[in-house]
Amino acid sequence: REAMSSSLRQFLDIAKRCSVVIACRVAPLQKSELVRLVRKGVHPTPVTLAIGDGANDVPMIQEAQVGVGISGKEGRQAVNSADFAIAQFRYLQRLVLVHGMWNYHRACKFVLYSFWKNAVLVMLMFYYTMISGYAGTSLFEDMIRASYNFVLAGPIIATGIFDREASDKASLANPALYDMGRLGLALNP
């Protein structure tokens, strides 16, 4: 980790007290350095979101973990380098508050489901090994063990397709629902 100058440290300390930092009339390299400063200087490391609409925003979008490109008058360079593309700035609210929340909850459920599904299988084999006196025999036939993940993929696929923690209207009306993902609460049931 490289040492940070005192002026950058001061700037970061002031910026951390703000709820939003907007940089206007800065060079493309300065925009990407601002994102890098936040990623390296803030602990715990936040997820950074960069939003841009032109070629001058490309370095910033590429430096952030999540990049959103807005297609418009300045061309499609920002859209081509971004993770997500929207046609107008007003669609950003729906992208973050609705789809971001849904995706976060689905990802958390997938991680927890996969962990516990495999933990059950491993614990069964572990206890069987002890009960069998460490004989080296297999508890499950190979076909059963191979089909275990295939069969149990159905519920999580259905959850990924159909699950919505809250309706889109409720998500837009109550932005506090997004805080659960921002604060990382869904992985700690």
Side-chain angles (χ1 to χ4, degrees), residues 37-167:
L37 176 68
V38 170
R39 287 181 65 185
K40 301 228 186 278
V42 177
H43 297 286
T45 305
V47 175
T48 54
L49 168 69
I51 306 161
D53 65 350
N56 62 337
D57 297 319
V58 170
M60 172 185 65
I61 289 171
Q62 291 175 338
E63 183 66 36
Q65 282 110 332
V66 180
V68 177
I70 302 172
S71 60
K73 298 175 203 166
E74 295 190 34
R76 298 194 44 87
Q77 291 92 342
V79 170
N80 292 339
S81 66
D83 300 309
F84 300 97
I86 55 178
Q88 296 175 359
F89 192 77
R90 66 184 172 113
Y91 298 132
L92 182 64
Q93 181 181 26
R94 182 173 178 81
L95 177 69
V96 172
L97 294 180
V98 177
H99 298 287
M101 185 192 68
W102 287 348
N103 188 49
Y104 174 75
H105 285 281
R106 289 174 185 158
C108 289
K109 287 177 183 179
F110 175 78
V111 167
L112 291 172
Y113 179 82
S114 298
F115 174 80
W116 288 111
K117 173 184 61 122
N118 290 313
V120 166
L121 181 65
V122 169
M123 293 307 287
L124 284 171
M125 291 190 296
F126 176 75
Y127 287 128
Y128 179 76
T129 301
M130 287 192 320
I131 291 170
S132 68
Y134 302 97
T137 59
S138 179
L139 173 62
F140 301 111
E141 292 292 325
D142 289 337
M143 189 61 175
I144 291 174
R145 203 171 45 216
S147 64
Y148 178 76
N149 282 322
F150 180 74
V151 170
L152 291 180
I156 199 64
I157 290 172
T159 299
I161 294 171
F162 300 112
D163 184 46
R164 289 189 162 92
E165 199 67 27
S167 71

